[in-house]
Amino acid sequence: MASAVEQFFTVKAKIAAAEREAGRKAGAVTLVAVSKTFDAADITPVIEAGQRVFGENRVQEAQAKWPALKEDFPDIELHLIGPLQSNKAKEAVALFDVIETVDREKIAAELAKEIARQGRSPKLYVQVNTGSEPQKAGIEPREAVAFVTRCRTVHGLAIEGLMCIPPADENPGPHFALLEKLGRETGVEKLSMGMSGDYETAIAFGATSVRVGSAIFGNRFV
């Protein structure tokens, strides 16, 4: 079986090919290597191979491994890509450089409070539930523009991007197209969309970052 480092280079090459295919500038798409459930020993070889942007699902799990890794590799950029509970806003603001899952008023208010208190400003994305799936986090697409506006005007948050996770059993293309449209309507610069199974499609639809885990690290055991 290929090592995580070999798979990392394969994914990087596929991203570069997808950028060319889509007529996009080389390096236009950031790879977020999703390291949830993997420990520091699994992650370190990929960092040493040159990867600097990583994604984690849970605040508590990230707290257990990333402070030490960030000490060794201070240029790491850490993204929270899983749902954020309001009682974890303090820890999330302290640890993460990008929070991709702002999806309701209470979270926006808590983040605003912690950003002011800590003087630390992680970049913020709003998560959109493009498939309107009841079990999934994210703001409804029809409410996204108004919610981004409220985040900016009511809570003073600088919303930089949008993020989505299309339904597993649907063609992701229409979901990526919807997020791109909402991105234009909200005036954000970043679109986080595409995972291990569909990141090349996401690049064709304008993704600025893709979140790839199992295609690099292999299957997870939770």
Side-chain angles (χ1 to χ4, degrees):
M1 194 181 107
S3 70
V5 169
E6 289 169 316
Q7 294 183 147
F8 159 65
F9 283 119
T10 298
V11 169
K12 289 284 281 183
K14 286 182 174 178
I15 289 171
E19 286 172 337
R20 286 193 299 273
E21 182 77 20
R24 298 182 62 190
K25 203 172 77 176
V29 180
T30 298
L31 168 61
V32 180
V34 179
S35 48
K36 63 180 185 181
T37 79
F38 290 94
D39 60 27
D42 297 311
I43 298 164
T44 302
V46 178
I47 300 175
E48 289 171 341
Q51 177 63 11
R52 285 296 181 273
V53 186
F54 289 84
E56 288 284 339
N57 258 41
R58 296 186 180 96
V59 174
Q60 214 165 336
E61 185 192 335
Q63 280 179 307
K65 60 190 176 188
W66 279 104
L69 283 168
K70 287 182 104 178
E71 215 165 273
D72 292 340
F73 302 96
D75 56 343
I76 290 286
E77 182 177 278
L78 192 59
H79 290 229
L80 178 64
I81 59 170
L84 176 59
Q85 267 112 30
S86 53
N87 65 352
K88 294 287 182 192
K90 177 182 174 181
E91 291 90 339
V93 168
L95 179 61
F96 289 93
D97 303 294
V98 182
I99 296 171
E100 298 198 11
T101 49
V102 182
D103 68 346
R104 58 198 187 281
E105 209 77 42
K106 190 176 182 185
I107 287 293
E110 285 296 321
L111 287 172
K113 188 172 83 181
E114 283 304 324
I115 286 167
R117 199 180 68 80
Q118 296 184 35
R120 193 170 189 276
S121 299
K123 294 168 183 171
L124 302 175
Y125 295 14
V126 164
Q127 181 174 353
V128 182
N129 185 354
T130 56
S132 298
E133 297 173 275
Q135 81 285 7
K136 197 173 275 181
I139 195 89
E140 285 287 319
R142 65 179 177 275
E143 295 167 14
V145 176
F147 179 65
V148 170
T149 301
R150 283 199 310 280
C151 284
R152 288 169 170 159
T153 57
V154 177
H155 302 290
L157 298 175
I159 301 296
E160 183 180 278
L162 302 179
M163 178 265 230
C164 75
I165 306 169
D169 56 351
E170 289 185 24
N171 173 6
H175 296 273
F176 298 152
L178 173 57
L179 200 73
E180 192 275 333
K181 174 178 174 283
L182 291 171
R184 281 184 282 112
E185 290 174 359
T186 53
V188 299
E189 294 174 13
K190 307 287 187 182
L191 296 175
S192 171
M193 55 191 196
M195 299 189 291
S196 286
D198 55 21
Y199 64 90
E200 290 157 292
T201 304
I203 291 168
F205 280 94
T208 58
S209 62
V210 293
R211 309 179 305 274
V212 180
S214 57
I216 296 172
F217 293 104
N219 291 324
R220 312 187 162 78
F221 303 98
V222 182

